[in-house]
């Protein structure tokens, strides 16, 4: 029953506000966390045996009659489902204490669950239009979540985000319409085999360009990144964590990768474009992050930079490069989620996000400081944390594939990353304690629990990286490295 | 066959371009969203025109209906945002929305 | 063909009016007229359901929402649009139309397409049997819209 990944969060989201009338806090907290815990356990435990015999294409039946809901689960989608439910769970735990001051908790959880359902639907979809539709489901929920605080900044950021995101969807849908006109079909497998038959290089190029603009806007790659440094910092901290950790990856990177690698097929030109965009994002965003005073804004620029790494890795197109890109996607989801959550703890304790006003907070908030340090070092790529291994794999893959210049850029960007994260550590957590914060206390239980969970995972995956790669990343990378054949061959065609 | 497709593609491209120009040129928040609506019209014409030209009207029609449903919930969200912005700033000028920078 | 082309020209004309007109109420109404024309175009393309949706939902409901917003926010008179843009907009638009007319035909000639096997069955069959997953998505997107509006109009009791 793969469809549970979509339907369960939706159903819970539908009934939450009704139950929220009965009990304002406990029931929504419990129900939302239980839902995400269930999805996580389901993905982690039941998923791998399910796809042991190859990808499954599930056709649903309703009251004994076959209904045409086709969902496909292969290594790549299972991997993404795991990432979504894991970060979703941590965020949901964090929200128990953090969202207390915003009010309307049931409504908040409902929107969060709808966003998760939208992402899961996108991951399981087997046709182009469903990709657009679920992208929009997650996006509509995210507009409201960015504006959830209803302050001036939140509203401004949400409006800008909405405008650019709608334009992105328009580009994506225009491209889908052209492909539909050309092949007369929307199904991934049917489109892939039809395109192979047609041999329509030029038009596929135009469609790819449209997709690139659309998904590039969603993933906030550098020329299309304007909305992200506004939207992600303005959202409540757990939502920043979901947006940066998951949404840009699912609706940008996942959708783009699935379509480019499994449906269109990765041409050398496209590979070059992806790698250049990735390298550009990596470097430019790292420089922009250096100059930031606002903690969350710095993290937001860092997200753009790290998405650059992911796109660079996947863009290489070799099995090792894809594996590295996907591994970095997972590690960045964990670590950036962790960093945004700790920034939320700091903001709640001190009421500010300005790095210059902080200082010495490690003495007052030891757990938050320690977990933040783990996340920062992981993203910066310090061994033995998980981020180190994924960056190493990407760089090795770049050298193997004969792109030493890109490899050099990746190393340099990594140094820059370490630099601005150390800057953040020094300004916020170390140094002399600013006497303003003498009365600051450690964050409440559930907030620290969520950050500790993610920090332990960062360390654990770093130590056990080889087994993580073989059990989770490799099956996902295999699907993508198989290219167009994966979809045509195994999805019932 | 191609002529029909040409006709609809031509007009939907014109609509999408008019909307994009409007997005760049206008400063009133509601006007900006009207421009978005014009883009949406272009896209739905593109979808149905493609289906019509390629003998796939039924599928295209299903897509357009879904697209309209998405549009409604998008419009509701966006207009709620605009009303909230107006309550905060007492203005619909997009230039007043420039606090976030850097 | 001629009627259809005339309808399409009207659609573009009213859409451009909706963007160019100074008065918000007038531009909302032009947008509604454009939707109405689009609905009629859909009818003439053998897509009655899309036509009905376009007319009732987009020309009806969305226009009502727009007018409601305009009423709640005042006319937005204080927003001064730049004068330069009023001149540039039609020029650029006409230029684009010319390019569109010249390029699009050649571009389309290059698109190879599979011969499509015409569909059979009714709209209901296609929607229910062919694209059932979209219905789940529709429900999800409606829920998202409802909760978004609820969240944005909630009473701010404790927020700082």
């Amino acid at each position: 029953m793969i469809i549970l990944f979509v339907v369960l969060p939706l159903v819970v989201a539908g009934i939450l506000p009704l139950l929220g009338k009965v009990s304002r806090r406990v029931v929504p907290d419990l129900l939302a966390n239980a839902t995400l815990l269930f999805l996580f356990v389901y993905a982690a435990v039941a998923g791998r045996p399910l796809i042991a015999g190859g990808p499954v294409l599930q056709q649903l039946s309703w009251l004994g009659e076959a209904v045409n809901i086709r969902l496909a689960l292969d290594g790549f989608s299972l991997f993404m489902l795991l990432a979504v439910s894991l970060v979703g769970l941590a965020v949901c735990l964090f929200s128990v204490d953090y969202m207390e001051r915003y009010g309307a908790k049931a409504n908040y959880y409902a929107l969060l669950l709808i966003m998760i359902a939208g992402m899961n639907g996108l991951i399981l979809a087997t046709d182009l239009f469903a990709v657009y539709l679920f992208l929009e489901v997650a996006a509509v929920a995210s507009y409201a979540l960015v504006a959830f605080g209803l302050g001036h900044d939140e509203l401004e950021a949400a409006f800008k985000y909405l405008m650019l995101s709608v334009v992105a969807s328009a580009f994506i849908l225009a491209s889908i319409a052209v492909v539909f006109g050309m092949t007369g079909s929307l199904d991934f497998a049917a489109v892939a085999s039809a395109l192979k038959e047609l041999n329509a290089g030029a038009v596929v190029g135009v469609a790819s360009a449209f997709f690139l603009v659309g998904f590039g806007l969603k993933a906030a790659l550098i020329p299309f990144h304007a909305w992200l440094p506004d939207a992600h910092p303005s959202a409540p901290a757990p939502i920043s964590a979901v947006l940066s950790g998951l949404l840009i990856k699912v609706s940008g990177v996942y959708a783009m990768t699935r379509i480019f690698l499994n449906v269109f097929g990765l041409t050398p030109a496209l590979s070059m474009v992806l790698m250049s965009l990735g390298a550009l994002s990596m470097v430019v965003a790292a420089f922009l992050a250096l100059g930031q005073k606002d903690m969350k804004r710095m993290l937001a620029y860092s997200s753009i930079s790290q998405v650059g790494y992911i796109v660079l890795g996947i863009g290489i197109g070799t099995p090792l490069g894809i594996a590295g890109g996907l591994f970095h996607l997972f590690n960045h989801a964990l670590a950036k989620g962790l960093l945004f959550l700790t920034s939320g703890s700091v903001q709640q304790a001190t009421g500010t996000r300005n790095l210059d006003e902080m200082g010495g907070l490690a003495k007052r908030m030891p757990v938050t400081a320690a977990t933040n340090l783990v996340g920062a070092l992981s993203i910066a790529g310090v061994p033995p944390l998980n981020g180190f291994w994924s960056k190493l794999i990407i760089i090795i893959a770049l050298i193997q594939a004969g792109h030493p210049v890109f490899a050099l850029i990746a190393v340099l960007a990594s140094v820059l990353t370490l630099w601005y994260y150390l800057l953040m550590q020094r300004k916020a957590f170390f140094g002399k304690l600013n006497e303003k914060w003498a009365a600051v206390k450690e964050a409440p239980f559930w907030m620290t629990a969520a950050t500790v969970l993610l920090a332990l995972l960062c360390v654990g995956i770093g130590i056990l990286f080889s087994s993580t790669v073989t059990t989770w990343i490799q099956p996902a990378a295999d699907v993508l490295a198989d290219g167009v054949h994966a979809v045509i061959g195994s999805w019932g065609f | 066959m191609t002529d029909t497709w040409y006709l609809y593609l031509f007009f939907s491209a014109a609509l999408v371009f008019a909307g994009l120009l409007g997005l760049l040129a206008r400063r009133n928040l509601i006007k900006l969203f009207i421009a978005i609506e014009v883009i949406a019209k272009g896209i739905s014409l593109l979808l149905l025109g493609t289906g019509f030209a390629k003998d796939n009207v039924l599928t295209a029609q299903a897509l357009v209906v879904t697209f309209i449903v998405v549009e409604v919930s998008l419009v509701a969200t966006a207009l709620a945002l605009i009303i909230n912005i107006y309550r905060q700033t007492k203005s619909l000028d997009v230039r007043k929305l420039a606090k976030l920078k850097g | 063909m001629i009627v259809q082309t005339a309808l399409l020209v009207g659609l573009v004309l009213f859409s451009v009016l909706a963007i160019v007109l100074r008065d918000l109420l007038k531009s909302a109404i032009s947008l509604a007229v454009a939707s109405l024309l689009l609905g009629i175009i859909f009818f003439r393309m053998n897509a009655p359901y899309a036509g009905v949706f376009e007319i009732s939902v987009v020309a009806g409901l969305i226009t009502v929402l727009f007018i409601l917003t305009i009423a709640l926010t005042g006319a937005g008179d204080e927003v001064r649009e730049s004068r330069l843009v009023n001149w540039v907009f039609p020029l650029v638009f006409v230029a684009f139309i010319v390019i569109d007319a010249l390029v699009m035909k050649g571009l389309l000639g290059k698109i190879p397409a599979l011969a499509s096997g015409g569909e059979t069955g009714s709209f209901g069959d296609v929607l229910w049997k062919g694209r059932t997953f979209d219905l789940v998505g529709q429900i999800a997107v409606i829920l998202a819209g409802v909760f978004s509006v609820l969240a944005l109009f909630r009473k701010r009791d404790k927020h700082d």
Side-chain angles (χ1 to χ4, degrees):
Chain A
M1 287 305 286
I2 314 172
I3 191 140
L4 272 183
F5 279 109
V6 185
V7 170
L8 184 70
L10 271 187
V11 171
V12 175
I15 58 174
L16 258 182
L18 303 176
L19 291 174
K21 293 260 183 288
V22 183
S23 146
R24 293 183 79 84
R25 296 209 192 109
V26 183
V27 174
D29 282 345
L30 263 179
L31 208 54
N33 281 295
T35 310
L36 282 163
L37 182 65
F38 172 79
L39 291 184
F40 170 61
V41 171
Y42 191 37
V45 176
R48 271 167 46 74
L50 213 56
I51 60 162
V56 271
L57 186 74
Q58 206 167 57
Q59 185 101 20
L60 288 177
S61 60
W62 174 262
L63 303 175
E65 200 176 335
V67 179
N68 204 334
I69 296 184
R70 279 153 50 97
L71 302 171
L73 188 70
D74 57 19
F76 188 25
S77 36
L78 180 64
F79 163 74
M80 293 302 292
L81 283 179
L82 184 80
V84 168
S85 45
L86 182 57
V87 177
L89 177 64
V91 160
C92 213
L93 282 176
F94 189 85
S95 308
V96 171
D97 284 327
Y98 188 82
M99 293 309 291
E100 210 53 56
R101 70 197 175 104
Y102 284 87
K105 238 179 168 180
N107 202 329
Y108 163 79
Y109 279 127
L111 283 168
L112 179 63
L113 286 170
I114 290 172
M115 192 155 79
I116 302 267
M119 289 193 274
N120 285 347
L122 200 168
I123 291 167
L124 293 171
T126 61
D127 84 62
L128 288 170
F129 191 75
V131 164
Y132 158 78
L133 181 57
F134 282 93
L135 199 123
E136 209 68 359
V137 170
V140 170
S142 70
Y143 307 143
L145 284 170
V146 168
F148 206 75
L150 296 178
H152 182 280
D153 290 1
E154 285 96 326
L155 292 168
E156 175 187 339
F159 190 77
K160 283 183 185 164
Y161 172 35
L162 186 144
M163 284 296 162
L164 283 174
S165 181
V166 171
V167 173
S169 311
F171 272 102
I172 292 168
L173 207 48
S175 185
I176 290 174
V178 170
V179 174
F180 176 53
M182 216 163 32
T183 62
S185 166
L186 289 161
D187 196 62
F188 283 158
V191 170
S193 66
L195 283 180
K196 259 179 85 171
E197 211 172 302
L198 278 172
N199 194 17
V203 186
V204 171
V206 173
S208 304
F210 275 37
F211 272 136
L212 205 61
V213 175
F215 291 129
L217 268 165
K218 294 273 182 192
L221 288 171
I222 263 298
F224 316 112
H225 69 288
W227 59 273
L228 188 141
D230 292 340
H232 287 197
S234 300
I239 296 308
S240 315
V242 179
L243 294 179
S244 256
L246 298 175
L247 191 64
I248 54 172
K249 305 211 178 67
V250 174
S251 64
V253 177
Y254 172 86
M256 182 158 72
T257 314
R258 178 65 92 188
I259 289 174
F260 282 165
L261 269 66
N262 281 160
V263 181
F264 285 4
L266 190 68
T267 57
L270 190 57
S271 161
M272 203 61 210
V273 170
L274 284 178
M275 283 168 62
S276 312
L277 276 180
L280 189 71
S281 308
M282 218 159 68
V283 176
V284 175
F287 274 114
L288 289 171
L290 266 178
Q292 298 305 318
K293 296 260 177 292
D294 179 332
M295 189 175 181
K296 284 173 92 177
R297 225 176 155 78
M298 184 185 267
L299 293 177
Y301 276 111
S302 161
S303 287
I304 302 175
S305 170
Q306 301 304 313
V307 166
Y309 268 101
I310 297 167
V311 172
L312 175 65
I314 293 172
I316 305 171
T318 59
L320 190 67
I322 293 170
L326 293 180
F327 193 27
H328 197 62
L329 186 157
F330 190 69
N331 294 337
H332 180 248
L334 293 181
K336 189 49 64 65
L338 169 61
L339 283 171
F340 267 118
L341 292 185
T342 52
S343 79
S345 303
V346 171
Q347 195 187 355
Q348 199 183 41
T350 64
T352 181
R353 302 198 307 241
N354 191 335
L355 285 168
D356 290 340
E357 289 178 33
M358 297 174 191
L361 285 172
K363 296 191 185 74
R364 312 299 314 175
M365 313 176 74
V367 182
T368 305
T371 47
N372 184 292
L373 185 64
V374 170
L377 293 182
S378 162
I379 290 192
V382 172
L385 291 162
N386 54 358
F388 167 71
W389 299 110
S390 49
K391 284 192 179 176
L392 187 68
I393 296 176
I394 293 176
I395 290 166
I396 292 175
L398 280 168
I399 293 170
Q400 267 188 4
H403 301 290
V405 180
F406 281 115
L408 193 67
I409 294 174
V411 173
L412 286 179
S414 197
V415 173
L416 277 178
T417 311
L418 188 61
W419 184 5
Y420 62 74
Y421 274 116
L422 287 181
L423 212 65
M424 185 172 91
Q425 295 299 322
R426 198 172 58 93
K427 281 187 175 171
F429 295 109
F430 298 106
K432 230 177 81 201
L433 180 68
N434 190 335
E435 56 275 14
K436 251 198 287 186
W437 317 125
V440 162
K441 281 201 201 66
E442 182 57 83
F445 176 73
W446 288 112
M447 282 162 67
T448 39
T451 52
V452 168
L453 170 73
L454 288 176
L456 285 180
L457 278 167
C458 281
V459 177
I461 291 175
I463 293 168
L464 302 172
F465 88 99
S466 66
S467 69
T468 316
V469 169
T470 43
T471 46
W472 292 102
I473 317 291
Q474 208 52 54
D478 285 345
V479 172
L480 291 173
D482 253 4
V484 180
H485 305 286
V487 166
I488 298 179
S490 54
W491 289 15
F493 220 77
Chain B
M1 193 61 99
T2 317
D3 275 348
T4 346
W5 204 16
Y6 170 58
L7 180 73
Y8 294 115
L9 236 66
F10 172 76
F11 281 103
S12 58
L15 282 175
V16 170
F17 188 73
L20 287 176
L21 262 188
L23 272 185
L24 292 177
R26 300 284 105 173
R27 287 166 180 173
N28 186 319
L29 295 180
I30 297 179
K31 258 318 183 3
L32 287 177
F33 208 70
I34 285 177
I36 292 271
E37 278 300 288
V38 172
I39 296 180
K41 279 192 205 331
I43 296 289
S44 51
L45 182 66
L46 173 64
L47 277 174
L48 200 68
T50 305
F52 183 68
K54 302 286 172 186
D55 265 345
N56 274 324
V57 172
L58 294 177
T59 312
Q61 194 174 191
L63 302 189
V64 170
V65 168
T66 311
F67 179 72
I68 289 171
V69 171
V70 172
E71 215 182 316
V72 171
S73 91
L74 200 67
V75 169
T77 310
L79 293 181
L81 266 178
I82 291 176
I83 292 173
N84 264 298
I85 290 173
Y86 182 76
R87 282 184 187 163
Q88 291 256 339
T89 62
K90 294 288 166 235
S91 161
L92 287 175
D93 197 331
V94 76
R95 279 167 299 181
K96 299 233 169 93
L97 280 184
K99 250 179 81 189
L100 301 173
K101 270 199 202 101
Chain C
M1 202 66 157
I2 293 168
V3 181
Q4 193 77 341
T5 312
L7 282 170
L8 285 165
V9 170
L11 166 66
V12 173
L13 221 59
F14 275 101
S15 301
V16 171
L17 268 185
I19 294 174
V20 173
L21 279 179
R22 195 163 280 275
D23 186 60
L24 275 181
L25 211 55
K26 278 183 197 155
S27 68
I29 289 166
S30 318
L31 194 69
V33 175
S35 293
L36 200 67
L37 291 176
L38 188 60
I40 296 169
I41 293 167
F42 284 174
F43 268 112
R44 295 175 48 88
M45 287 157 83
N46 300 326
Y49 292 92
V52 166
F53 258 73
E54 183 70 33
I55 289 173
S56 66
V57 177
V58 181
L61 183 60
I62 290 185
T63 308
V64 170
L65 288 178
F66 265 114
I67 290 175
L68 202 66
T69 314
I70 293 166
L72 279 175
T73 55
D77 292 329
E78 86 289 351
V79 186
R80 232 179 292 145
E81 304 283 358
S82 93
R83 285 194 176 277
L84 184 69
V85 165
N86 284 340
W87 285 98
V88 173
F89 183 94
L91 286 178
V92 179
F93 185 67
V94 169
F96 177 79
I97 292 283
V98 173
I99 297 170
D100 191 3
L102 292 175
V103 173
M104 190 67 91
K105 186 130 189 169
L107 210 66
L108 279 187
K110 288 212 181 68
I111 299 188
L114 293 180
S116 46
E119 299 170 304
T120 49
S122 67
F123 175 65
D125 285 346
V126 172
L127 184 61
W128 287 103
K129 299 231 174 83
R131 308 210 50 86
T132 328
F133 199 34
D134 285 3
L135 294 177
V136 179
Q138 286 188 20
I139 295 168
V141 92
I142 290 170
L143 276 179
V146 168
F147 288 128
S148 299
V149 172
L150 283 178
L152 290 170
F153 287 127
R154 74 182 192 273
K155 284 200 199 77
R156 276 160 283 175
D157 35 27
K158 276 197 298 185
H159 185 246
D160 45 4

